[in-house]
Amino acid sequence: MRIAIGSDHAGFEQKQQLVEHLTASGYEVMDCGPADDYRVDYPDYGLKVALEVAKGFADRGVLICGTGIGMALCADKVAGIRAASVTSPQFASLARKHNDLNVISISGRFVDFDTNKQIVDTFLTTEFEGGRHALRVAKIMALDCDTLPYLPEE
Ligand code: RB5
């Protein structure tokens, strides 16, 4: 599995640690930067990772900023992306099983590395359950269109 990973300055240290961990775990890791911890704007790196996943060059994306929130907001703007900010392994598991998350965004400032490692490992190894969740995810993805594809029944 090929993983695109990116951060801003606030997530840089944990990105480096995760690149090492994921590579050692056998994943093919595409480091989308930054290359150092100088201050950068998280939308630039959130977009890079999201595009790698949306275009099919990477299977999943991992983002790390201060809270995980800003980068999730950016990635979700890209058509084809289902991104969320996740702070527990349980939510990582549910986000895969129910939402088929393809980009995870984590906090480099408020969540320790061991927990983030568990979150990312769970994200990468948990399958989407499909079934009743498939139509709901399809409805989310239909929102990528400019025109409203369906109207919820009253
Ligand atoms: C950078 O200071 C911080 O705003 C950023 O890392 C992130 O937390 C944004 O959501």
Side-chain angles (χ1 to χ4, degrees), residues 8-10 42 65-71 109:
D8 68 355
H9 49 286
Y42 57 83
C65 63
T67 58
I69 295 170
M71 289 189 110
R109 280 190 178 144

Side-chain angles (χ1 to χ4, degrees), residues 54-138:
K55 289 179 176 176
F57 299 135
D59 301 298
R60 302 270 172 86
V62 176
L63 297 168
I64 314 108
C65 63
T67 58
I69 295 170
M71 289 189 110
L73 290 173
C74 300
D76 259 330
K77 294 282 184 190
V78 175
I81 296 302
R82 294 175 298 280
S85 166
V86 172
T87 54
S88 74
Q90 188 186 19
F91 273 30
S93 172
L94 287 167
R96 282 291 311 139
K97 287 178 179 168
H98 292 190
N99 313 115
D100 200 12
L101 207 73
N102 55 12
V103 173
I104 197 163
S105 190
I106 57 177
S107 165
R109 280 190 178 144
F110 301 98
V111 178
D112 62 82
F113 179 65
D114 277 345
T115 306
N116 273 335
K117 201 163 61 169
Q118 281 180 54
I119 288 170
V120 172
D121 286 347
T122 302
F123 166 66
L124 295 175
T125 55
T126 306
E127 293 297 324
F128 177 49
E129 275 179 2
R132 70 185 191 278
H133 303 293
L135 177 62
R136 296 165 185 169
V137 170

